[in-house]
Amino acid sequence: MSKLEQLVADLSALTVLEAAELSKLLEDKWGVSAAAPVAVAAVAGGAAAAPAEAAEEQTEFTVVLVDGGDKKINVIKEIRGIRSELGLKEAKDLVEGAPQNVKENVSKQEAADIKKKLEDAGAKVEVK
């Protein structure tokens, strides 16, 4: 077995905690982070690709109900309006189980509209 094959076999036998510790030791020893290879791969992909990735803006958002607030009935009504597939019980469970995702993979404008509706009803909302 070659040296490299033996190294791969040894690394495969590590537990998750041991692998995390090894990663930390290598970062300390060589002064690099585990994210560095990703950055190097992106740059190696071509100089034109790097500026395009940097300019790319988030296009899909998730609306998260952080707290149903004091007026839960109003919030439940808004949730049912936003997610018509939910019944009254499911909407109530979503509000009472906060923090919960209300809607995922929506546009920036739709996320802002949903946030405004829920906040007007008395809920605390985040857009991620």
Side-chain angles (χ1 to χ4, degrees):
M1 189 178 271
S2 75
K3 244 176 143 174
L4 293 177
E5 289 173 337
Q6 181 60 43
L7 181 60
V8 169
D10 290 343
L11 290 175
S12 297
L14 293 177
T15 65
V16 173
L17 292 175
E18 291 170 332
E21 185 178 339
L22 174 63
S23 174
K24 178 72 175 139
L25 290 171
L26 293 175
E27 286 175 7
D28 292 344
K29 172 102 174 151
W30 292 325
V32 296
S33 69
V38 175
V40 171
V43 172
E53 289 176 18
E56 189 174 319
E57 186 177 321
Q58 182 179 356
T59 57
E60 293 183 339
F61 298 86
T62 299
V63 180
V64 180
L65 177 70
V66 177
D67 184 20
D70 295 333
K71 302 177 184 176
K72 288 186 180 174
I73 293 174
N74 293 339
V75 176
I76 292 169
K77 287 179 183 177
E78 288 300 329
I79 293 291
R80 291 202 61 212
I82 294 164
R83 300 220 7 225
S84 59
E85 79 277 6
L86 295 180
L88 182 58
K89 182 180 181 340
E90 291 84 7
K92 180 179 180 265
D93 290 345
L94 190 145
V95 171
E96 290 179 347
Q100 294 274 351
N101 291 350
V102 175
K103 206 156 186 187
E104 298 176 353
N105 303 324
V106 295
S107 69
K108 187 175 186 177
Q109 181 61 45
E110 185 178 358
D113 291 344
I114 293 170
K115 181 178 180 184
K116 181 170 179 6
K117 286 179 185 177
L118 291 174
E119 286 179 342
D120 289 347
K124 292 182 185 172
V125 181
E126 287 181 1
V127 176
K128 296 182 180 180

